[in-house]
């Protein structure tokens, strides 16, 4: 399958049951040129533009421009001040620092979101902190309280290395901000913002859950930890990218409860698109009325057809739209 080529896919089933989750229709896939570090880890739609971030780049964002053979990544550089103390224990901070010496990316930016004013928000997994980049390119760290990390760890999240905040979402007015903890245990926390800063109202943790689930049958049906690898906000709802099960789930933004899920397993497991890894590679998510953008973090590894560049998939919205009950 050539990057940027339209893909014909069967229509998704109209109803969801406990045993069958409708498949999203893959519209296009496109490679991304111009990200020298690869490792596409976050994606957001800001107005009419798509932006992506790499977890190996500490001072660069990329705006995507569509071309005949895929996307071109147009670099925007920024200078971030030193990160705040995010509340993670010394051992996790040291392991993150050692890892950064080997692979690069001391901030380990793992998610990207935008508000209606064009501010971009990047979550740093290594520091459990959020960087805000305004439209002029000036960067500052949000003054978050210690309670999200403290309460998250008390709920069993954020305890292991490389198992921290993996996704971020913000509502258009920047009044609420959500962070997704990746795995072992995975979960969601929420903060409320106003002119005086950010705080938790009625507790930070919306959801914390452990356990395992099976990968899709075409990918071995292996039992792996439940995980969140991306997060998005659209039309009053949260959407989680769940790479173990290869699903996108719509969730209640007030309590994190899953209301409806759709699968992208058929697209990810198709011949030529598989990566030689036991784990899912989808790490970036953006949702709009017409569909979903899903970015793949391949960690520099080629997929079965030899492609090594980052890939972005475009899925059509399900029949009836993302808010449909059926």
């Amino acid at each position: 399958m050539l990057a940027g080529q339209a893909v014909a896919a069967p229509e998704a089933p109209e109803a969801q049951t406990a045993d069958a989750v409708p498949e999203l229709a893959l519209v296009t896939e496109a490679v991304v040129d111009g990200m020298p570090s690869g490792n596409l880890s976050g994606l957001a739609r800001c107005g009419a533009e798509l932006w992506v971030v790499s977890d190996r780049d500490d001072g660069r964002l990329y705006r995507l421009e569509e071309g005949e053979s895929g996307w071109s990544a147009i670099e925007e550089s920024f200078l971030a001040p030193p990160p705040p103390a995010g509340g993670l224990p010394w051992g996790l901070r040291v392991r993150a620092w050692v890892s950064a010496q080997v692979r690069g990316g001391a901030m380990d930016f793992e998610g990207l979101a935008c508000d209606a004013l064009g501010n971009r928000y990047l979550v740093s997994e290594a520091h459990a902190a959020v960087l805000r980049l305004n439209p002029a390119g000036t960067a500052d760290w949000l003054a978050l309280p210690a309670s999200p990390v403290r309460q998250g760890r008390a709920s069993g999240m954020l305890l292991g290395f490389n198992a921290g905040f993996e996704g971020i979402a913000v509502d258009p007015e920047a009044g609420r901000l959500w962070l997704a903890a990746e795995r072992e245990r995975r979960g969601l926390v929420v903060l409320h913002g106003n002119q005086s800063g950010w705080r938790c109202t009625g507790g930070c943790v919306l959801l914390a859950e452990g356990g395992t689930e099976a990968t899709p049958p075409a990918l071995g049906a292996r039992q792996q930890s439940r995980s969140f690898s991306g997060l998005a906000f659209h039309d009053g709802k949260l959407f989680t990218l769940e790479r173990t099960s290869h699903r996108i789930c719509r969730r209640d933004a007030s309590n994190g409860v899953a209301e409806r899920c759709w699968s992208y397993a058929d697209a990810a497991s198709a011949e030529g698109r598989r990566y030689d890894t036991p784990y899912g590679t989808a790490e970036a998510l953006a949702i709009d009325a017409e569909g979903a953008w899903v970015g793949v973090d391949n960690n520099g590894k080629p997929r079965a057809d030899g492609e090594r560049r980052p890939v972005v998939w475009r899925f059509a919205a399900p029949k009836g739209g993302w808010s449909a009950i059926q």
Side-chain angles (χ1 to χ4, degrees):
M1 179 63 62
L2 296 176
Q5 180 175 336
V7 180
E11 293 184 0
E14 293 187 5
Q16 180 178 26
T17 68
D19 298 321
V21 176
E23 286 288 332
L24 292 171
L26 180 62
V27 179
T28 61
E29 63 172 0
V31 296
V32 179
D33 279 314
M35 294 181 69
S37 301
N39 291 274
L40 193 160
S41 59
L43 185 154
R45 183 163 185 174
C46 305
E49 298 177 331
L50 280 179
W51 290 82
V52 297
V53 66
S54 166
D55 59 20
R56 301 294 191 268
D57 288 335
D58 288 338
R60 287 183 291 192
L61 278 182
Y62 300 91
R63 178 174 51 83
L64 298 186
E65 288 190 354
E66 192 171 7
E68 293 183 359
S69 60
W71 295 99
S72 294
I74 310 303
E75 177 184 324
E76 178 183 315
S77 298
F78 60 87
L79 180 63
L88 293 176
W90 179 83
L92 290 183
R93 299 199 308 270
V94 168
R95 290 194 65 181
W97 180 86
V98 172
S99 177
Q101 307 314 300
V102 177
R103 69 178 194 178
M107 297 299 104
D108 195 10
F109 288 125
E110 290 287 358
L112 178 63
C114 299
D115 64 23
L117 296 178
N119 297 302
R120 283 75 51 86
Y121 299 79
L122 294 80
V123 61
S124 165
E125 183 175 21
H127 297 279
V130 175
L131 184 75
R132 177 175 55 198
L133 189 65
N134 69 23
T138 302
D140 68 292
W141 295 96
L142 298 186
L144 302 181
S147 44
V149 171
R150 184 177 65 247
Q151 293 183 24
R153 287 177 59 81
S155 299
M157 303 183 293
L158 312 175
L159 298 181
F161 170 68
N162 202 29
F165 288 132
E166 190 79 3
I168 183 171
V170 64
D171 66 14
E173 295 77 25
R176 290 176 295 172
L177 182 149
W178 296 265
L179 299 171
E182 182 179 6
R183 56 187 169 84
E184 301 165 355
R185 309 173 74 199
R186 74 176 183 180
L188 299 169
V189 302
V190 63
L191 296 102
H192 295 258
N194 55 34
Q195 292 182 348
S196 62
W198 295 88
R199 69 193 188 284
C200 295
T201 303
C204 305
V205 177
L206 294 182
L207 173 73
E209 58 183 8
T212 64
E213 59 187 351
T215 61
L219 298 175
R222 302 179 180 91
Q223 288 292 321
Q224 295 179 354
S225 297
R226 298 177 185 273
S227 68
F228 292 142
S229 60
L231 189 62
F233 181 84
H234 171 69
D235 196 23
K237 299 291 184 178
L238 286 178
F239 290 82
T240 49
L241 183 62
E242 310 191 6
R243 64 181 170 207
T244 297
S245 59
H246 288 62
R247 294 178 181 179
I248 296 171
C249 292
R250 185 188 73 211
R251 294 177 176 269
D252 188 312
S254 65
N255 58 27
V257 172
E259 300 174 334
R260 178 96 171 133
C261 295
W262 299 267
S263 173
Y264 61 88
D266 281 0
S269 62
E271 184 177 356
R273 293 198 191 101
R274 300 189 192 186
Y275 293 88
D276 186 17
T277 172
Y279 304 102
T281 54
E283 283 209 4
L285 177 67
I287 300 285
D288 59 24
E290 288 73 41
W293 304 94
V294 175
V296 175
D297 183 352
N298 60 329
N299 288 307
K301 297 180 179 179
R303 63 183 193 176
D305 63 1
E307 182 58 68
R308 288 181 176 271
R309 291 168 292 181
V311 175
V312 175
W313 294 325
R314 176 62 165 170
F315 293 97
K319 185 177 180 180
W322 295 109
S323 297
I325 297 176
Q326 297 296 324

